[in-house]
């Protein structure tokens, strides 16, 4: 599926690779912002579309990516 404003991938997608292979994890925009910060996919990180586009402008190929667990209280993460 290609990214786009009407798809679950949002306006921009960033594929994460390790040792030359696709990890199948992605950082992408979201057309459904109510799901941001919640575990609703198979490991992707969702951003607001404008943040995913901005990340694309600033990220360097080969940059290290670290994903930290949410610090949201469990009651808010539902």
């Amino acid at each position: 599926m290609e990214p786009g404003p009407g798809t679950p991938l949002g306006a921009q997608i960033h594929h994460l690779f390790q040792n030359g292979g696709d990890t199948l994890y992605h950082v992408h925009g979201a057309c459904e912002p109510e799901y941001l910060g919640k575990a609703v996919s198979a490991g992707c990180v969702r951003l607001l579309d404008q943040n995913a586009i901005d990340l694309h402008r600033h990220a360097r190929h080969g940059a290290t990516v670290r994903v930290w667990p949410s610090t949201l209280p469990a009651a808010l993460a539902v």
Side-chain angles (χ1 to χ4, degrees), residues 10-77:
Q12 185 71 48
I13 186 168
H14 306 273
H15 300 270
L16 301 179
F17 290 82
Q18 185 174 26
N19 301 322
D22 192 346
T23 64
L24 302 179
Y25 293 105
H26 307 94
V27 177
H28 61 81
C31 64
E32 300 162 320
E34 64 271 19
Y35 295 126
L36 295 176
K38 298 179 180 169
V40 295
S41 68
C44 292
V45 177
R46 294 174 181 227
L47 304 174
L48 292 173
D49 276 337
Q50 63 263 29
N51 293 345
I53 291 167
D54 189 58
L55 177 63
H56 180 72
R57 285 190 211 130
H58 293 96
R60 292 184 318 268
H61 181 79
T64 299
V65 176
R66 290 190 176 102
V67 178
W68 301 96
S70 174
T71 59
L72 260 155
L76 297 177

